[in-house]
Each structure stands twice: as C-alpha cells, then as structure tokens.
Amino acid sequence: MKIKLDAIRACLDGAIPGTIATCSPDGTPNMAYLSQVQYVDAGHVALSYQFFNTTRRNILANPHARVAVIDPETGAHYRLSLQYLRTEQEGPLFEKMKAKLAGIASHTGMAGVFRLLGADIYRVLDIERVPGETLPPPPPRAHLLAALRASAEQLCLCTDLDSLLAQTLTCLEIHFDVHHAMVLMLDAPNARLYTVASRGYTQSGVGSEIALGDGVIGVAAREGTPIRIGHFAAEYSYTLAIRDNLQRSGLAPQLETEIPLPGLPGSRSQLAVPIRAGQRVLGILYVESPQDLRFGYDDEDALVSLAGGLGAAIQLLQHAPVDAAERSASASPAAKPGPAPEAGPVLEVRHYAENDSIFLDGRYLIKGVAGAILWALLNDFAASGRTAFSNRELRLDPRIRLPDISDNLEARLILLGRRLVEHQAPIRIDKTGRGCFELRIERPLALLHTPHGV
Amino acid sequence: MTQALSPLLDEDQARFICGGVSISAAACRGAGLPSMARATGCRVAADKRSITILLSATASAGLIDDVRRNGAIAVVFSLPADHRTLQFKGGDARVVPLEPGDEALAERYVDAFAGGLAPLGYPTQVIRSVLACRADDLTAINFTPSAGFLQTPGPDAGNALRSGA
C-alpha cells in the first residue's frame, strides 16, 4: 500500500460524508453514503452498519467494496479498496462508533434515525489518490509531538498527585491549546467516577460524580477506550447524564448532595481518554471545546499518550516511599496536638452515616469516602486534639472503608481539601510532606452524627 | 417493452437530480472490486428516459473502463441540506460525446452545489477544488434508468420508486 491509512485519518472524521460502492453477485453496482468511517488500525477501518440495505446485502455476498473519502481541509480525494471481514455488535470499537454516530446524527438532523447496529470491520487492501486539485493544508494548531514532549518533561517533576493533576491541566492549556479539561478518578466498586481536578469552568465541580456508562466519560471508563465526539449529542451530554443520575440515585433529594459536574454549556467536541495503570483504568482525562470537530485522531493519539504518562506517574506516586515526616506522624499519632481552635461561633458539623455525607452549618460539603475521612479526622481531633495524620494510617482505618485496596486515597484527600477551600470552611487540611498532612481548625466545632435510617 | 412504459423519472425527480445535489456513480466488473467516481453535473433527456452525468475523465478512469465493459451503472443523488437521496441504476451506460453547453452546465452545477453547502458550514472552497475539472477532461456517461430507489435515511430507505405505470 503506497498511501498509509494513518496518513489520511483526517478524511475519516466525517466532515465530508464518504461514499461506498458495492456490487451484487449478479454484477449490479450500488452506491451509498456513509455516516462514518472509523480508523481501527493501520490496516483496518470500520463502517457503521445502521440499516439492512443493499450495501449490507452486497457485502455479505461479495466482500469487496470501495469507499471514497475527502480531506475536509485540502480536498484531497482518496479511494480505499476494502474487504469485509466481520461485524462487531458490542465492545470498545462499537461504543466508540456509537458515540461518534450520536454526534453525527444530531449534527445532521438524523437523531432518532441513525442507530448503530454494528461496526463492520474491513481490511484495507489499497488506497488510491484520486487525481485532482487540492488546497494547501492549514498550519497545525499545535505541534502535538512537541506539546507531548514538553508535557512529559514537566509531569516528571511533580512529586505529589495534586501538583501532577494541576500540571497536567496547565500543560493542556499551554501546550495543547485545550482550555476546558477535567480529571476524574474511578471508584470501581461503586461504579462511579468523581471529579478531582478541572480547568476552564465557572465552577470547578470537584467532587461531582458520574455513573460508569453515562455520557462520553462514563462510556470511556466502562469500555476502557477513548471516546471522541465531534458534534453535540444529547444522549452523551452531561446535563442529561446528571438528570439521570439524580433520578437513579436513591438518596433523598432534600439532602442536596449533588455537586454539579463542570461542563461547557455550548460543548460540541468532547474527548474522554482512560488513564490507566497497566490494564486497570484509574480514571478519565476529559477535554471539550465549543468548536465542532475540534479534536481529531492526532489529538486523540496525543491525549492517549499523555494519559499513559499520567497513569504511570499516578501509580508511581501512590507507591512512592513515604517522607520522614509521615514516619514520625505514624509512629506517634497523638504526639503533636495542634493549636487550640480559634474563637468564633460554633460550626455545626453534621454527618449522615447513610452515605457519609457531611454538612457544615446545614450546607452540603462532601459525601462518600472523603466524607468518612473528614468525619474520622474531626472525631480524632475532638477526642485528643490531634492534628497530624498520615495517608498510611487512613488507608488502614476501619472507619473509612476504602472501597478497594487499590483506591487512590490521595485523590480522595485532594478532593476533600478542594471542597473545604471552595466551601471557605474553617477547616483545612494542609500537606506537610509526602503521605502526611495536618488538620487546621479555625472555629470551635459541634459534631453531630445521624445514624442509618434516621 | 420498456419504451412502452412511462419514464421512471417524474418531473420533480428530474429537477432534483439536475439541481445542487451531490452526485456519485459506481460500476463494477463481475464480482470484483467496484469502481466509483464523483460526477460534476447531470442532465435528463427531454422525454426523461435517460440521464447523462458529467465527470472528470482522469478521476473516473476506472469507472469509465467498467462502464465500457458491461454498461452497468448506479448513480446516487443527495441533497446535503435535507438528505433527500435517490439512486438510479441502468444496464446500458455508455460514454457519450459532450453536448454544447455541458461545460457551462458543469460550472453551474459546482456553483449550485457549493452554494447549497455554504449555509451548512461545509468548506465550499474544498468542495470546489474536489469538483474542479479541466474543460478538456470533461466527459459524459449516459444511461436509461431501469430501477430507482429512495435512499433518504429513514424507514422508507431502499424502497423502489414507482416504475412507469
């Protein structure tokens, strides 16, 4: 194959619909429009199977097809000679195409008409450049390899999860020209993702949650595959996902324990990339843009690589040796009583055992593992005046009930710390070294506990 | 017998396929790889019994070759604004000489097609360059539509058009 499939991926994002020619066994040609040509790997593409039509009948009888695609920026016109191999009706590729098709359908007024029945996998036998005029390609928005290298160099220098996440979002802004991004961590046993860092939204949304399988982010996490949409698709949007979440959650709505997901009101392009440690999905790196077709295959490649580095770094930091400070904090847990609380009105801290939610003076702060952590810290403080804590002891603390042995406790602490800051609470947790932190209380506290079923 | 029947194309369909629609043609050689090409204009005979599409000979070399061998052709016409799509097939396709005015017809077609795409946000300069065809490279294929199909996405897609009654 003289022309590499990798080199013409820009033609496959559907900006200009492709066409497919097939031929019946009796030699009658057929021509049809394609909603989607999906790059699978250097030697395969997948076409969306949406209707049982002549194209479908033909390729089942005669597997040879030709597809024409056009580069939306230069007008370069290519014909792919294909051989049909098989159809996938579930799994990562199917979900990727289903999400993309939802965007295309909604953009072209075909929502409700286009429905993915299968991903037809074809071997690419040859790619031919159709003779004709072309326009010069526009200059690239960012040199993605250079952006990746600069980011990798900067992420290497981060010594804790908090700075690693912040630096990732900064790199996306500076090097990739991506201004709306968030990182969510996976809570696998509860099948939910929680936002731990974000950039470019009016509300940070840290602590907001999304169910596995909901929207671009939830599907990417469930399938362990990048999901990329080039147009707004209602069924993958967050406003809807949030509403569904609310309806599904058994929590009494009067508790108002939902933190809204950060989201771009006019979001058109979305890309969610799994952050992995080996085979395990740790979370999702998500970017979005108000422009249509903002993220292409090359952006997806770059972000998958960036997320690869991020996953490895998260894993390394989680298993990094602890600081001397943590060892001393763990060795003598009650040895360092903190300063006496500042004077001021009493802060009412209410804990609901049902979901470990915490309310400060009646305002919702946090729930779940981070809520349980805060409740344990405050109880220790009330009992003994203790303010110095270590991650390691928290991981073993039976009151906290981490959902998974591999759960990223540091991410929970970042989430808790951010929520306290955003809440302007008179309670703070300050990092004092790797794997250890200090509780800072600025007002007298009244701890109120509501057990299950009350 | 065909001549005794009324033409497959009705007035509205003839107007539609001669308008600013996307036109693509397919042909094939036995059960091998099909050939395909984009057309750059269309005209319908006054009696509506035959369709002629204009193409770049260079960009359509494979298609022209297949048409010359067996005359089988399929041509699909689609309006991007509402996705209305029709396909016509014929078994008697042949390369025919250009008629006076075909060059101007191709130019008008590109204007109409690109003009319809601009409000939809499509890159019209790109479309113009895809359809650009030197005058000396323009060629024509004529065929009698023997079957027609509605291909607008939706429940009726694939339905055969009323054949002459």
Side-chain angles (χ1 to χ4, degrees):
Chain A
M1 205 186 301
K2 276 171 269 150
I3 300 169
K4 300 265 189 212
L5 185 60
D6 297 344
I8 64 158
R9 290 187 304 177
C11 305
L12 307 185
D13 265 334
I16 299 176
T19 46
I20 180 167
T22 56
C23 188
S24 71
D26 73 355
T28 307
N30 189 73
M31 184 64 121
Y33 283 88
L34 286 169
S35 312
Q36 208 179 5
V37 182
Q38 172 75 35
Y39 174 85
V40 177
D41 60 34
H44 299 86
V45 291
L47 308 183
S48 59
Y49 158 37
Q50 298 166 53
F51 309 100
F52 193 86
N53 52 20
T54 307
T55 297
R56 182 88 191 148
R57 265 192 300 280
N58 285 355
I59 61 128
L60 293 178
N62 167 16
H64 294 291
R66 267 217 169 88
V67 160
V69 293
I70 292 171
D71 185 307
E73 289 179 327
T74 66
H77 185 178
Y78 300 92
R79 291 188 197 122
L80 284 61
S81 301
L82 305 179
Q83 182 188 7
Y84 169 70
L85 298 177
R86 65 179 188 280
T87 299
E88 291 182 6
Q89 286 169 301
E90 57 177 16
L93 177 68
F94 178 83
E95 293 295 339
K96 216 189 264 256
M97 291 181 70
K98 189 176 156 195
K100 205 184 269 186
L101 183 65
I104 294 166
S106 143
H107 184 64
T108 54
M110 284 290 154
V113 176
F114 286 174
R115 190 168 69 90
L116 192 66
L117 299 177
D120 286 344
I121 318 279
Y122 288 79
R123 175 178 294 129
V124 180
L125 304 173
D126 188 38
I127 300 176
E128 167 203 2
R129 169 78 188 271
V130 180
E133 280 183 18
T134 55
L135 301 173
R141 186 186 291 109
H143 190 296
L144 292 170
L145 269 180
L148 199 53
R149 175 185 169 160
S151 305
E153 285 172 352
Q154 281 157 358
L155 295 188
C156 277
L157 304 175
C158 297
T159 54
D160 60 50
L161 183 62
D162 205 6
S163 62
L164 180 68
L165 297 178
Q167 190 62 54
T168 301
L169 298 176
T170 302
C171 286
L172 283 172
E173 277 193 289
I174 296 175
H175 303 306
F176 290 88
D177 197 23
V178 168
H179 303 281
H180 307 281
M182 52 180 130
V183 177
L184 298 95
M185 301 299 287
L186 178 64
D187 179 344
N190 293 311
R192 299 187 77 76
L193 294 125
Y194 57 97
T195 311
V196 45
S198 74
R199 191 68 60 88
Y201 301 103
T202 45
Q203 301 284 318
S204 86
V206 163
S208 58
E209 295 188 356
I210 187 155
L212 202 62
D214 273 356
V216 175
I217 293 167
V219 174
R222 187 187 66 204
E223 301 296 330
T225 191
I227 299 286
R228 181 162 60 91
I229 289 188
H231 308 286
F232 170 78
E235 55 268 58
Y236 285 84
S237 90
Y238 290 108
T239 43
L240 195 80
I242 293 163
R243 204 184 318 131
D244 286 355
N245 269 349
L246 282 171
Q247 283 164 357
R248 233 174 296 166
S249 103
L251 287 174
Q254 68 270 20
L255 287 183
E256 285 176 14
T257 57
E258 290 293 332
I259 301 166
L261 259 170
L264 207 54
S267 179
R268 290 181 173 276
S269 293
Q270 309 181 328
L271 170 58
V273 174
I275 302 166
R276 294 169 179 284
Q279 291 298 305
R280 204 158 54 87
V281 174
L282 299 179
I284 293 288
L285 177 61
Y286 171 78
V287 296
E288 62 184 328
S289 163
Q291 285 174 46
D292 280 310
L293 295 171
R294 165 63 179 82
F295 307 111
Y297 280 99
D298 289 348
D299 297 282
E300 182 179 322
D301 284 357
L303 259 67
V304 166
S305 306
L306 185 68
L310 182 59
I314 290 173
Q315 184 84 335
L316 265 176
L317 289 175
Q318 206 172 347
H319 296 115
V322 293
D323 277 1
E326 180 184 9
R327 280 195 294 274
S328 66
S330 313
S332 50
K336 247 182 80 183
E342 295 286 324
V346 171
L347 177 74
E348 184 196 282
V349 182
R350 186 172 288 278
H351 172 246
Y352 291 88
E354 184 188 1
N355 60 351
D356 280 321
S357 56
I358 303 256
F359 289 72
L360 302 182
D361 278 343
R363 274 173 68 213
Y364 172 66
L365 175 74
I366 194 107
K367 69 181 175 190
V369 173
I373 292 173
L374 180 60
W375 189 241
L377 299 179
L378 294 178
N379 275 283
D380 285 359
F381 173 77
S384 64
R386 183 179 170 202
T387 57
F389 297 88
S390 79
N391 291 10
R392 193 197 313 176
E393 59 175 314
L394 287 181
R395 198 169 282 123
L396 301 173
D397 193 320
R399 293 172 297 178
I400 288 163
R401 300 187 306 273
L402 278 181
D404 191 337
I405 187 138
S406 58
D407 194 87
N408 198 310
L409 180 80
E410 202 171 356
R412 308 281 188 175
L413 286 168
I414 292 171
L415 164 62
L416 175 59
R418 294 263 165 83
R419 283 294 294 165
L420 289 167
V421 170
E422 286 177 11
H423 207 89
Q424 297 179 316
I427 303 170
R428 294 297 158 96
I429 51 173
D430 301 324
K431 213 170 158 64
T432 49
R434 182 179 292 159
C436 46
F437 61 92
E438 192 164 56
L439 182 67
R440 186 153 52 85
I441 309 285
E442 292 165 355
R443 272 167 55 187
L445 306 177
L447 303 185
L448 306 166
H449 178 66
T450 306
H452 271 285
V454 176
Chain B
M1 283 304 288
T2 317
Q3 295 305 310
L5 300 170
S6 65
L8 188 65
L9 271 165
D10 66 22
E11 191 64 45
D12 169 66
Q13 290 159 352
R15 204 175 320 116
F16 174 75
I17 69 173
C18 292
V21 292
S22 166
I23 312 171
S24 289
C28 58
R29 189 178 305 182
L33 272 166
S35 52
M36 65 198 308
R38 256 183 184 273
T40 182
C42 169
R43 57 183 153 78
V44 173
D47 64 3
K48 294 198 282 297
R49 289 187 190 277
S50 80
I51 296 174
T52 303
I53 54 169
L54 305 177
L55 314 97
S56 148
T58 315
S60 316
L63 179 100
I64 290 169
D65 204 24
D66 285 348
V67 161
R68 283 200 167 117
R69 280 168 192 260
N70 58 32
I73 196 165
V75 187
V76 69
F77 303 87
S78 182
L79 184 66
D82 63 2
H83 308 284
R84 181 184 179 194
T85 307
L86 295 176
Q87 175 155 212
F88 291 97
K89 298 191 182 186
D92 65 350
R94 61 205 170 92
V95 178
V96 295
L98 292 177
E99 284 186 3
D102 275 351
E103 227 178 280
L105 188 153
E107 278 174 27
R108 281 200 309 279
Y109 163 76
V110 174
D111 287 341
F113 183 46
L117 286 172
L120 304 179
Y122 283 96
T124 52
Q125 268 315 105
V126 173
I127 301 298
R128 283 181 178 280
S129 90
V130 171
L131 294 174
C133 177
R134 289 192 331 270
D136 61 359
D137 193 35
L138 200 65
T139 192
I141 291 178
N142 170 273
F143 70 101
T144 309
S146 53
F149 304 91
L150 188 70
Q151 258 174 251
T152 309
D156 296 331
N159 287 358
L161 298 176
R162 171 197 62 82
S163 59

